[in-house]
Amino acid sequence: MSLDSLLHSAVGNNDDDLKFIFVGGKGGVGKTTSSSAIATLLARYCNKRILLVSTDPAHSLSDAFLCNFTNEPTSPGIDNLHVMEVDPTETMQRELNRWAELAKEIAVPGENDTDGDDDNEMVKKIKQFQEWLSGIPGIDEATALSSAIEHIESNKYDLIVFDTAPTGHTLKLLGMPDILQAGIEKLQGWQSTLWGYWDVLKGLGSSASKNRLHAKEEVAQMLENYKTGIQKVALMLQDQRRTRFVVVCIAEYLSISETQRLLRELKKNNVRASHIIVNQLVVENALSSEELTDLEGLAEVGSLMLNQELLTKTVHACRLTTARKGIQEKYLSQLKSFPETEEILDGICEVPLLAEEVTGNDALCRFSNYMVRNPPTGVAESASNTAASGQRRLYDDQLFEQKEKTTNGASSWTPMIGDGVKIKDLSKAAQYNGLEGVIVSTLDAETNRCGVKLEYNGKSKTLSLQMKNIVLLHKAKRAKSVNNGESFVAKGIESVSNTVNKAMDVLNDPEIKALVESNPKFKDAVEDCINNPISFMKYISDPEMSPLISKAMSKLKF
C-alpha cells in the first residue's frame, strides 16, 4: 500500500490527466509534511512542473522546506517544483478595497439623507456585499483555489498540490461555491434593477455619470468574474478525472473519527478521495506483547548484564512503543473496516514514525521514499520540454453547457422590457403553462419576480412570475443609437416609463408629501410628471429638484 497509483496517474500530457491534489486532515497529523513530500515525489518521478500551494491560514511550508515563501511562486531548490503561501488576509483585503473604490466612484456627491446616511442604494448594496463577502467561512481558501486554476490555465504548471487548512475549514469550503454564487446572483439582481434607470435619475451626460457608467461596467465584470471563478472551483473539486483528495491522519481515536467524517463529506460532495496517509506509525522493531513480557522477566531476575538504571529505561521505552503499537493497530484496523475506505484500501499508505525531524529538502526526500514502492520509471521528457504553447482553458466547455441550460431555464438571464418569453411549470395556475408573453417590468431582486403580459381567453393579463417559470424565446429589439449616451438615455426612458407606477406610490409617503407641499416648484413638477411621466426627464438636471429626487430615490424599494 503506497502512493504509487497517484504518481502513475500524474504521468501523461493530456488535459484530462491529474491536475489537482488536495492534502487535508486534522491539524497536527503531518499534513504539511505529507503535502510537501507528495509535491517532491511528483517533481522527481513524473517530470511535471509542480506548484505546491498552502491555503492554510497558518502556513508551515516555509518551515518544512526551510525557505521563505510568499504569495509568489518560488523554487525551494528542487527541480520542477515551485511553492507559494497564499496570504488570505492580504488577498481578501485587496478585493474588499477594490469594492470600496467602486462604491466611491458610483456615489453621487452631496446626496445624503438628513441623518447623514448615503442615499445611493447601489453603494449600500456594495457595502453590504463587502461585509457579507468577508464573513463567509472559507472564502480565503476559495479565492486561492480560483487563482490556482489560472496558474494551470496559464500553462506555467502541469499539476498543483494544495496544502489545505484543517478539516473543519475544508468542510466549509465544500459547500461554499453554492453559498458564494447565491450571494453574487443576489447582487447581480440588485444591479439589474438599479441600473435600469439609475443613470437617468442621476443626471445622465455629466462627467460624474460617465464615471458611474465606467464603474457600473466594472462592477458587472467583477461579479461575472467572481461567479465564473467560483463555478470553476466547484467543478474542480468534483472533477473525478483531474482531482484527487489525499487524507492525512494518525492512528488515534480523534484523528480516525475525524477522518471518517471527512471521507463521508467528501463522498457526499462528489469529491474523489483516492488515498489515506496514516502517519507516525510505530511499526518497525517494536516488541510484541510476548517479547516485552520476556524482556521484563529477564530484567526482573537480573539475567541481563546491563546497568540497572539503563535496563529500567530500556524496559520503559519498550513498554511505550509496544503500547503505542497496540493502540495504532486497533485504530488502523478500524480505519480499514470503514465503508468509506472499502474502495481505496490499496491507497492506504502507512508511514513510520521517524527519529529525525522532517525539515529541509533532504529530509523531505527521505520521508517521501516511505510513501512509494514502484514509482514511475522511464519518463524520458523533462518538465521543461513538456510545456505546450499557449493557454489551456479548464471547465469552459462545462460552464458553457451550464449557461446554455440556465439560459433556456432563465435562471442566469436578466429579463429586459420587451423580451419574449414562454411560461412553464406553474403548478397552481397550470392553465398559463405553454403560453407566450412579453416582459413588462424588470426583475425585482427581493422577490425574484418580473411582470409578464399575455393573452388568455381573449383578455390581456399581467402575471408576476419567478425566473424558474419563464423561458426566454427572443430578446427585445432595441434601436441602435448614435453613441452610448443616447443608448442609455433610451434605456433610461424605457425603464422610467415602466416604473412610474412604483414611483407614484412614493408620493403617498408622508415625508415626500410634506416636502412637495413645502415648495411650489416641487408641487408643479410632480403634477407635470403625473400627467406626463416622460416630463421627468426635464427635471433631472435642475439643481433645485435634487432634494426631492434624492429623497424619492431613498424611498424606492429595489
Side-chain angles (χ1 to χ4, degrees):
M1 294 183 288
S2 64
L3 299 184
D4 290 356
S5 60
L6 186 69
L7 298 186
H8 284 280
S9 64
V11 176
N13 295 313
N14 297 320
D15 282 341
D16 286 342
D17 292 331
L18 186 62
K19 293 287 185 291
F20 307 103
I21 298 174
F22 291 83
V23 182
K26 184 178 172 63
V29 298
K31 181 170 51 65
T32 295
T33 303
S34 298
S35 62
S36 302
I38 290 173
T40 301
L41 286 170
L42 292 165
R44 286 170 58 197
Y45 291 112
C46 299
N47 286 327
K48 292 293 184 73
R49 298 162 299 169
I50 309 301
L51 177 63
L52 173 59
V53 180
S54 172
T55 58
D56 187 343
H59 299 302
S60 300
L61 291 179
S62 293
D63 298 327
F65 285 93
L66 298 179
C67 293
N68 291 320
F69 299 121
T70 65
N71 59 357
E72 292 295 327
T74 305
S75 172
I78 297 175
D79 290 343
N80 303 332
L81 177 62
H82 282 86
V83 183
M84 64 184 292
E85 293 181 330
V86 179
D87 187 338
T89 303
E90 179 183 324
T91 302
M92 281 308 306
Q93 193 58 51
R94 186 165 56 248
E95 292 295 327
L96 295 174
N97 287 344
R98 183 62 197 121
W99 283 106
E101 291 172 8
L102 284 171
K104 290 178 182 178
E105 291 180 35
I106 294 170
V108 182
E111 291 182 355
N112 295 312
D113 287 330
T114 55
D115 58 3
D117 291 334
D118 194 348
D119 241 1
N120 192 314
E121 287 296 320
M122 195 60 192
V123 174
K124 292 179 181 178
K125 298 302 185 186
I126 287 178
K127 289 180 179 178
Q128 290 173 11
F129 181 73
Q130 281 181 279
E131 296 172 0
W132 174 83
L133 185 67
S134 61
I136 298 176
I139 181 62
D140 48 355
E141 196 161 2
T143 304
L145 298 185
S146 180
S147 64
I149 295 177
E150 295 175 5
H151 280 294
I152 289 285
E153 291 181 334
S154 69
N155 209 31
K156 293 179 181 178
Y157 301 98
D158 301 305
L159 197 152
I160 298 181
V161 179
F162 295 100
D163 177 35
T164 69
T167 305
H169 205 74
T170 303
L171 292 180
K172 291 174 183 176
L173 171 68
L174 295 177
M176 214 231 322
D178 291 338
I179 297 172
L180 190 56
Q181 186 167 328
I184 291 171
E185 289 176 350
K186 183 71 171 177
L187 191 58
Q188 285 180 318
W190 286 329
Q191 74 158 0
S192 68
T193 304
L194 285 165
W195 291 131
Y197 51 94
W198 188 259
D199 287 312
V200 177
L201 297 178
K202 296 301 181 184
L204 188 64
S206 66
S207 59
S209 178
K210 291 177 181 177
N211 290 336
R212 291 194 296 279
L213 174 59
H214 171 74
K216 163 198 169 180
E217 293 170 350
E218 190 162 353
V219 167
Q221 188 58 54
M222 286 178 67
L223 288 172
E224 190 60 36
N225 290 344
Y226 265 119
K227 189 175 179 180
T228 300
I230 294 304
Q231 285 175 328
K232 285 192 174 185
V233 168
L235 290 171
M236 175 181 64
L237 287 168
Q238 298 176 345
D239 192 333
Q240 301 293 302
R241 298 173 299 173
R242 300 186 183 102
T243 303
R244 303 288 185 276
F245 201 106
V246 178
V247 181
V248 183
C249 66
I250 56 177
E252 295 180 359
Y253 174 74
L254 292 178
S255 180
I256 294 299
S257 298
E258 190 164 309
T259 296
Q260 186 179 26
R261 287 195 295 272
L262 175 57
L263 290 170
R264 285 174 181 168
E265 288 299 316
L266 292 173
K267 187 173 183 179
K268 176 182 175 182
N269 287 276
N270 298 316
V271 179
R272 182 176 177 182
S274 61
H275 295 78
I276 302 173
I277 296 174
V278 187
N279 207 1
Q280 303 173 14
L281 288 172
V282 182
V283 289
E284 295 183 4
N285 302 320
L287 298 182
S288 66
S289 298
E290 294 77 10
E291 290 172 330
L292 179 61
T293 300
D294 290 342
L295 176 62
E296 291 173 333
L298 291 172
E300 185 177 2
V301 297
S303 299
L304 298 177
M305 302 299 293
L306 292 175
N307 176 280
Q308 189 60 40
E309 183 179 356
L310 177 59
L311 182 59
T312 300
K313 290 182 178 180
T314 301
V315 171
H316 178 67
C318 290
R319 284 173 178 165
L320 283 177
T321 55
T322 301
R324 293 300 301 169
K325 182 179 180 180
I327 293 171
Q328 290 179 341
E329 286 178 339
K330 170 187 174 182
Y331 290 113
L332 184 59
S333 176
Q334 283 188 13
L335 174 67
K336 293 178 180 179
S337 68
F338 290 154
E340 294 81 9
T341 58
E342 288 180 355
E343 298 178 1
I344 57 171
L345 286 176
D346 290 339
I348 296 179
C349 178
E350 301 175 19
V351 181
L353 176 67
L354 303 180
E356 67 172 335
E357 284 188 316
V358 186
T359 54
N361 293 353
D362 292 340
L364 284 170
C365 183
R366 289 192 294 271
F367 179 78
S368 68
N369 289 333
Y370 289 101
M371 297 179 169
V372 292
R373 294 180 180 177
N374 299 299
T377 58
V379 183
E381 283 190 298
S382 65
S384 60
N385 294 327
T386 60
S389 60
Q391 292 188 336
R392 47 183 169 180
R393 306 295 296 176
L394 294 180
Y395 309 117
D396 282 2
D397 54 342
Q398 291 166 268
L399 289 178
F400 178 78
E401 290 177 5
Q402 286 183 2
K403 190 172 183 179
E404 286 292 296
K405 290 179 181 178
T406 53
T407 297
N408 292 333
S411 62
S412 68
W413 150 62
T414 301
M416 299 295 290
I417 304 298
D419 290 346
V421 296
K422 190 174 193 177
I423 301 172
K424 65 164 192 172
D425 300 336
L426 290 174
S427 57
K428 295 183 179 179
Q431 66 271 23
Y432 299 120
N433 288 334
L435 297 181
E436 296 182 7
V438 177
I439 299 293
V440 293
S441 66
T442 53
L443 183 68
D444 187 314
E446 297 300 325
T447 63
N448 197 36
R449 292 175 180 270
C450 59
V452 178
K453 187 176 182 179
L454 53 83
E455 294 291 327
Y456 181 71
N457 288 342
K459 295 182 179 180
S460 177
K461 298 185 71 70
T462 299
L463 308 179
S464 178
L465 300 178
Q466 297 184 55
M467 294 294 292
K468 65 180 181 180
N469 296 124
I470 55 177
V471 177
L472 176 65
L473 295 178
H474 57 80
K475 299 291 289 181
K477 292 182 180 180
R478 290 173 173 81
K480 294 184 178 179
S481 326
V482 176
N483 55 53
N484 287 340
E486 292 179 2
S487 173
F488 280 106
V489 168
K491 291 179 181 178
I493 292 173
E494 179 183 53
S495 295
V496 169
S497 298
N498 286 285
T499 56
V500 66
N501 289 334
K502 192 172 184 179
M504 290 302 103
D505 290 340
V506 174
L507 296 177
N508 294 320
D509 182 88
E511 285 188 75
I512 298 295
K513 277 186 174 182
L515 190 59
V516 170
E517 292 296 329
S518 70
N519 189 324
K521 188 169 183 177
F522 290 169
K523 189 173 182 179
D524 292 341
V526 168
E527 290 178 356
D528 187 14
C529 290
I530 290 175
N531 294 326
N532 184 11
I534 300 302
S535 295
F536 180 81
M537 296 298 296
K538 66 185 181 183
Y539 296 108
I540 60 176
S541 59
D542 187 342
E544 293 186 49
M545 301 301 298
S546 179
L548 176 60
I549 293 175
S550 297
K551 179 59 68 175
M553 286 297 296
S554 71
K555 297 293 182 179
L556 286 171
K557 301 299 182 182
F558 299 105

